[in-house]
Amino acid sequence: MNFSIRSAILSVVFFLGYIIITLLVGEWHPFSNFPMYNNFPNWAYVFYVTDSSGKVLYNEEYFDKGSGSVAHMYYAACQHRNIKYGDDMETTSEMQILGNDILDQIELKRFDFSGDSLFLFKKTFMLVNGSILEDSVNIAARHVEKSNK
Amino acid sequence: MLKNLINKSFSREEWVYIKIPLIIYWFLSVSNLHGTFNGQPFPVGVCEWVNCAAFTGSFTYPLFIFFSLILVLAYVAEWKMTVVTFFIAVISVISFSLEESNGIYTRTAIVSAIFIVQFLAYAFHDMGWIHNLHKYRIHFMLQVITAGYTLAAISKLTVSGIDWVTDGPRIALQVVKSFSFAYIQTGKASFLETGAQYAGFLLNHAWLVKLILGFSLVLEISCILALINRRVTFVYGLLLLGMHIGIHWLMDIIIMPMAIPMVLVFINPFYHIHKGFKMLMNRKDRHEIVILKLDLDE
């Protein structure tokens, strides 16, 4: 059998190299462990914003960031501030700090909503005895200047 | 098997049908990003060293778009590829690191990695380290994409172990979450109903969930087999595409930065569509020649 050792090495070098470097450095673009859904915890969070009347302001209409991005921001803020998260283990003050971090990052596209405040909610889903339960908590609020808008 | 591994070759045509949609996807991704971010509140990656947000200013953003367009045109024209792929890789790393520095992780690592290895293929060729550029500029991409799926499997096994399969029914929470995201994004209440229906189905068919998750895990951990030969690569491409479609159907999630490079490099659909069209045209021509001959004979 005629083959080049060098060709054989070149045929796997980037496969092995990318894996080894990623395992060494972790999440550092362009290296990633691709950790999406690498576990299925017994909790899930979604975040939404309401106006003063409790009406949900849909991200597509009101904000420059998508609903999924807002969740990513929450976890990024947790990691940035070394706050442990998940399973509702965050304290009220921690959630307030994180909520404010998120509200600092999202911008309003329109101002036709009730009142002059925005309320960020965290909803938790949990599996209990084969049924999915949910619970929402207001984690941050922000006054909005609506004059001349 | 080793001979197949080494003697794999790709035609110039195959390369063209991969690179053009790839660079279009890349350009749309990075140009969209820079219109969105004004800072980097959670700096990660290269943005820990460089102010990546400097590229999003009102002056720098148009320059950035213009420069990226030049790179796209040069890339399509196959002009000065070593330099062009280098700059595409640099812009890619900075742009997607900026996105992650805003707390948004869309899993774009593979997109940057494939341009880095393309740069390396051209650089190695310029230095005389490799001679078969046609093969390696595609095969290097194949390797990093395969590595990505393998890493995803390693991540699942190291974090959850076999519980990733046995805890699978909890995926119902992720389904409800995904469809709730869709409702909060759009205001369409039908998403909530769909999410509840799918979650109910999963909770009532736990065995099916475990079977599908087990199969997905095996597919990802065995992805190195896609490097064996082109036929296996193609089959893996179809299986992984099926996996992505299944995830999208069930959870309304699709990880485009992984799926698109995989489809283009593993399956190369535009090339096969073109080949199929050419074959049809050839058959039509042969058919016409036969009819013409019959007419003349009569």
Side-chain angles (χ1 to χ4, degrees), chain B residues 20-296:
Chain B
I20 291 180
L22 190 62
I23 198 65
I24 292 172
Y25 171 69
W26 174 84
F27 180 72
L28 292 173
S29 300
V30 299
S31 58
N32 186 47
L33 281 184
H34 281 267
T36 312
F37 303 116
N38 298 316
Q40 44 181 52
F42 315 115
V44 292
V46 297
C47 300
E48 288 176 312
W49 306 332
V50 170
N51 180 15
C52 302
F55 296 96
T56 62
S58 53
F59 177 68
T60 47
Y61 179 55
L63 274 179
F64 162 81
I65 294 293
F66 177 71
F67 184 56
S68 298
L69 262 173
I70 302 289
L71 289 174
V72 169
L73 292 171
Y75 182 84
V76 170
E78 197 77 21
W79 186 74
K80 300 278 189 225
M81 285 297 272
T82 310
V83 173
V84 165
T85 50
F86 173 78
F87 280 110
I88 289 174
V90 167
I91 289 175
S92 198
V93 169
I94 290 175
S95 301
F96 295 126
S97 298
L98 175 61
E99 183 184 46
E100 293 180 6
S101 299
N102 278 267
I104 296 170
Y105 287 79
T106 52
R107 308 304 169 188
T108 47
I110 289 299
V111 178
S112 295
I114 58 179
F115 286 105
I116 291 171
V117 296
Q118 282 184 50
F119 157 68
L120 289 172
Y122 282 96
F124 286 179
H125 183 253
D126 289 347
M127 292 188 288
W129 289 4
I130 61 172
H131 303 292
N132 192 344
L133 180 64
H134 289 293
K135 172 179 132 188
Y136 288 115
R137 63 187 171 189
I138 295 179
H139 198 263
F140 286 175
M141 289 198 285
L142 180 61
Q143 289 182 47
V144 293
I145 296 170
T146 303
Y149 284 98
T150 307
L151 280 163
I154 293 173
S155 180
K156 293 174 174 83
L157 289 170
T158 50
V159 171
S160 301
I162 199 62
D163 288 348
W164 192 79
V165 176
T166 56
D167 282 345
R170 285 191 193 160
I171 203 174
L173 288 176
Q174 305 303 319
V175 170
V176 165
K177 179 186 84 173
S178 294
F179 282 92
S180 296
F181 278 150
Y183 163 68
I184 294 164
Q185 177 70 14
T186 63
K188 291 180 187 159
S190 56
F191 281 120
L192 294 178
E193 289 161 24
T194 307
Q197 268 171 22
Y198 286 179
F201 176 82
L202 293 171
L203 288 172
N204 290 326
H205 296 86
W207 65 272
L208 182 61
V209 174
K210 291 174 190 177
L211 186 67
I212 292 172
L213 291 178
F215 179 73
S216 301
L217 190 58
V218 167
L219 188 65
E220 285 184 330
I221 200 69
S222 65
C223 209
I224 187 175
L225 297 176
L227 299 178
I228 290 177
N229 64 38
R230 301 189 50 181
R231 206 163 284 167
V232 179
T233 307
F234 188 79
V235 169
Y236 261 85
L238 293 177
L239 291 171
L240 289 168
L241 179 61
M243 184 183 79
H244 282 292
I245 292 172
I247 292 169
H248 178 62
W249 175 77
L250 198 57
M251 298 170 72
D252 199 34
I253 291 168
I254 184 145
I255 302 170
M256 289 291 203
M258 280 196 89
I260 288 180
M262 184 281 293
V263 166
L264 289 175
V265 176
F266 280 48
I267 301 173
N268 202 352
F270 298 112
Y271 168 73
H272 290 292
I273 290 169
H274 166 78
K275 223 170 89 162
F277 186 69
K278 255 171 79 168
M279 260 169 49
L280 268 169
M281 293 307 292
N282 284 343
R283 256 194 219 150
K284 187 169 168 281
D285 289 342
R286 273 201 296 274
H287 185 62
E288 283 173 354
I289 289 168
V290 167
I291 291 174
L292 196 61
K293 190 173 182 308
L294 286 171
D295 284 345
L296 287 172

Side-chain angles (χ1 to χ4, degrees), chain A residues 66-84:
Chain A
S67 54
S69 298
V70 171
H72 280 145
M73 283 177 203
Y74 181 86
Y75 302 125
C78 288
Q79 280 163 13
H80 188 67
R81 292 182 180 278
N82 287 321
I83 293 175
K84 287 191 167 50

Side-chain angles (χ1 to χ4, degrees), chain A residues 43 45 83-92 94 122:
Chain A
W43 58 270
Y45 293 160
I83 293 175
K84 287 191 167 50
Y85 62 86
D87 210 11
D88 281 336
M89 69 172 73
E90 306 91 314
T91 64
T92 306
E94 283 172 342
K122 174 171 77 85

